[in-house]
Amino acid sequence: MSFLTRAAASEIRPITRFIIVLAMLAIGVPSTPAEQQLSVSFQVPKNDLAKAQALAGQLAALSPKVDPKEATLLAECAYATADRLRRQYQMFGTPIFNNFLVFHGFRKRGYCYQWTADLLVTLDALTLKTLELHWGEAYAGTWRENNCLVITAKGHPFDSGMILDAWRHFGHLHWHLVHSDEDRYFENTKWAERVRAQAASKSARADRHVAFQARVAPRGKAGD
């Protein structure tokens, strides 16, 4: 083979590889394996990394059918969201004093049901397949009412789930099983539906750029 022939062949090989890559893209061959689709990462504070890993382990232990990657995704998202909301709400003083600030207009948000609503909407966006999100409340309709998010394995009962609560701990995420809490929590599916509907309504208005008021949910809950 002459020098010119060898040079031409060396030029053809990269072109051939390029054409093959284009063909793979054209027929829809995925560039990454399906198992890498849950590789989203969140900015978890360094002090919370170990706690997020522990939460992921406990969520995965709720059922053998729970995907460990989903458990990790949820745990990291929950800790990152709590950190963001804590700064966004500008938490100050005790949880009760922070409620006082919200009530008198010195803070825009920070009630326990607002913590729960924002966590619910954010975690809903993960479109989990093996874990489910529930709205939990204790002492509903009284001044002692507290709301929290409860995570269960898909199809499992509310009482078998894990409570995620940041309001009672001044914006720092804490978690434990429902049955281990000192208070008795019950599921409120209707309120969860209202929160989700309100979030969907806001998203639709943002997409359509239409300004209108839709009172999907009441303005507040008792006890806050």
Side-chain angles (χ1 to χ4, degrees):
M1 181 182 293
S2 66
F3 174 78
L4 292 177
T5 303
R6 289 196 300 271
S10 65
E11 290 294 330
I12 291 173
R13 283 193 292 270
I15 294 175
T16 302
R17 288 196 295 269
F18 179 70
I19 292 174
I20 292 174
V21 170
L22 287 180
M24 292 174 65
L25 293 174
I27 63 176
V29 176
S31 58
T32 56
E35 59 269 17
Q36 293 182 5
Q37 291 178 358
L38 294 178
S39 62
V40 179
S41 61
F42 297 92
Q43 294 297 320
V44 180
K46 291 183 179 180
N47 293 338
D48 291 333
L49 285 173
K51 298 174 185 176
Q53 292 175 355
L55 174 58
Q58 291 299 311
L59 291 175
L62 290 175
S63 169
K65 295 183 179 180
V66 172
D67 184 348
K69 292 182 180 179
E70 276 198 359
T72 298
L73 187 69
L74 188 152
E76 292 180 351
C77 183
Y79 269 97
T81 302
D83 177 65
R84 173 178 59 82
L85 293 178
R86 186 172 62 252
R87 290 180 279 108
Q88 179 181 322
Y89 291 167
Q90 299 179 336
M91 300 292 287
F92 181 79
T94 65
I96 296 298
F97 184 70
N98 194 72
N99 281 3
F100 171 84
L101 295 177
V102 176
F103 182 81
H104 289 283
F106 296 104
R107 295 288 188 273
K108 292 183 178 181
R109 292 177 71 81
Y111 289 143
C112 66
Y113 75 90
Q114 292 169 334
W115 273 97
T116 305
D118 288 347
L119 272 173
L120 173 62
V121 171
T122 302
L123 296 179
D124 255 351
L126 300 177
T127 60
L128 303 169
K129 304 299 182 183
T130 64
L131 292 165
E132 291 182 333
L133 312 180
H134 307 263
W135 188 286
E137 60 184 16
Y139 307 107
T142 73
W143 67 272
R144 296 184 62 189
E145 178 177 324
N146 186 55
N147 300 269
C148 66
L149 199 63
V150 173
I151 315 299
T152 68
K154 186 175 179 62
H156 285 223
F158 174 84
D159 289 341
S160 70
M162 184 77 67
I163 286 178
L164 302 188
D165 188 351
W167 178 83
R168 282 189 291 180
H169 305 278
F170 197 53
H172 294 276
L173 190 69
H174 281 240
W175 44 271
H176 51 272
L177 292 172
V178 172
H179 62 72
S180 69
D181 198 281
E182 59 184 6
D183 295 324
R184 182 74 173 92
Y185 279 85
F186 300 89
E187 184 173 9
N188 189 334
T189 56
K190 291 184 178 180
W191 194 269
E193 290 171 359
R194 287 178 174 179
V195 169
R196 287 175 168 126
Q198 188 178 48
S201 177
K202 289 180 180 178
S203 177
R205 292 201 303 272
D207 290 341
R208 295 195 301 267
H209 301 286
V210 175
F212 67 93
Q213 183 176 3
R215 295 188 61 184
V216 179
R219 293 184 179 179
K221 286 174 64 62
D224 291 319

